[in-house]
Amino acid sequence: MITVTMQISQYIQKLHYGSMFSFKQVLRKVGASRRTVNYALNQLTQTNAIVRVKKGIYLRPKMSRFGPILPEPGKIAVIIAKNIGAKLYPSGANAVNTLGLSTQLSMNYSYVATKHITSFEVNNSMVNIRYSRTLETAESKLNGLKTKEKEKIILLWLSLEYLGKREIYLMKDEIINQIDTLSSKGRFKLEQILSGKLHWAKTLVTMEI
């Protein structure tokens, strides 16, 4: 007689290495009680067949002679966000670095998301994720733009938010150079989302070096 643990193991073996799945997915797949599924998942975790990334989220790892090989924490965060339909962007110093405005790179995995995602720890690294309603609203106003330009505008927005007025004007030329690479539609939409505390930054969109 096939056990629940065996059923789950067969399900996992059909997944690609690095694939993530949820407790709810397994529960629907095997049709057993929550307690039984939880027990089976704990057994598979102990044998390294799966890795618990955070509460209710698991991953099928690649294996080496040293044990399971996990994706870097940032990639795991991206997969989690994708699974719930959220957009995830680097925040703070990481946003500034991604945009190429600074070579300073934070040692932390720090992100901002358009949906609520609980922060988690993996590979002894903490992945901090904060939800921003303002980001969610700003991103919704960028519909119609190409994906790369949309992402660049969000990174500009996040960098302006992080650096603040004083720091931004110290690197004004670099910021304007980035804005100048946007299409006219992109510049217009960037100006639209610069509201509230970032209202002062609208002048950067119309400035020329």
Side-chain angles (χ1 to χ4, degrees):
M1 181 178 176
I2 187 168
T3 65
V4 172
T5 301
M6 291 170 65
Q7 282 183 273
I8 297 174
S9 182
Q10 289 174 358
Y11 167 68
I12 292 165
Q13 287 172 12
K14 294 177 182 178
L15 301 176
H16 295 296
Y17 289 113
S19 294
M20 296 180 67
F21 58 94
S22 68
F23 177 87
K24 290 181 179 179
Q25 283 177 274
V26 175
L27 194 63
R28 289 195 298 266
K29 189 72 178 178
V30 301
S33 69
R34 297 179 67 89
R35 184 175 180 179
T36 302
V37 170
N38 189 57
Y39 176 79
L41 288 171
N42 284 337
Q43 282 189 311
L44 292 169
T45 300
Q46 290 172 13
T47 61
N48 287 327
I50 61 174
V51 172
R52 182 180 181 275
V53 176
K54 54 180 291 190
K55 185 177 180 180
I57 301 293
Y58 299 84
L59 176 144
R60 185 192 182 192
K62 286 184 178 181
M63 294 298 296
S64 73
R65 58 179 178 154
F66 303 108
I69 302 173
L70 301 180
E72 65 168 328
K75 288 184 179 179
I76 292 176
V78 169
I79 295 170
I80 290 174
K82 187 176 181 180
N83 282 345
I84 65 169
K87 294 295 179 63
L88 191 76
Y89 297 93
S91 66
N94 291 326
V96 177
N97 181 273
T98 302
L99 200 56
L101 296 173
S102 170
T103 56
Q104 179 185 358
L105 185 62
S106 171
M107 297 303 291
N108 300 318
Y109 292 94
S110 182
Y111 299 91
V112 58
T114 57
K115 289 186 179 182
H116 292 282
I117 302 174
T118 307
S119 298
F120 61 94
E121 186 176 359
V122 64
N123 285 348
N124 296 317
S125 296
M126 191 67 196
V127 180
N128 296 300
I129 306 173
R130 67 178 176 87
Y131 163 69
S132 171
R133 182 184 294 275
T134 310
L135 170 64
E136 186 179 8
T137 301
E139 213 224 19
S140 68
K141 293 180 179 179
L142 300 180
N143 291 333
L145 295 176
K146 292 182 179 179
T147 301
K148 286 187 177 180
E149 184 168 45
K150 186 176 181 178
E151 290 177 351
K152 187 167 191 175
I153 290 172
I154 290 295
L155 287 172
L156 274 165
W157 186 84
L158 289 169
S159 295
L160 291 168
E161 180 187 53
Y162 171 71
L163 293 169
K165 192 172 184 178
R166 179 181 173 83
E167 289 296 322
I168 283 297
Y169 277 110
L170 292 176
M171 55 176 67
K172 181 181 67 177
D173 290 352
E174 290 86 347
I175 289 286
I176 295 173
N177 276 332
Q178 291 287 339
I179 293 173
D180 282 345
T181 65
L182 301 175
S183 66
S184 57
K185 186 177 181 180
R187 290 168 67 97
F188 173 74
K189 285 185 175 282
L190 171 60
E191 190 173 0
Q192 276 190 316
I193 66 173
L194 293 175
S195 57
K197 292 181 179 180
L198 289 179
H199 185 268
W200 57 268
K202 288 189 176 185
T203 56
L204 292 169
V205 181
T206 56
M207 277 186 182
E208 295 181 1
I209 297 177

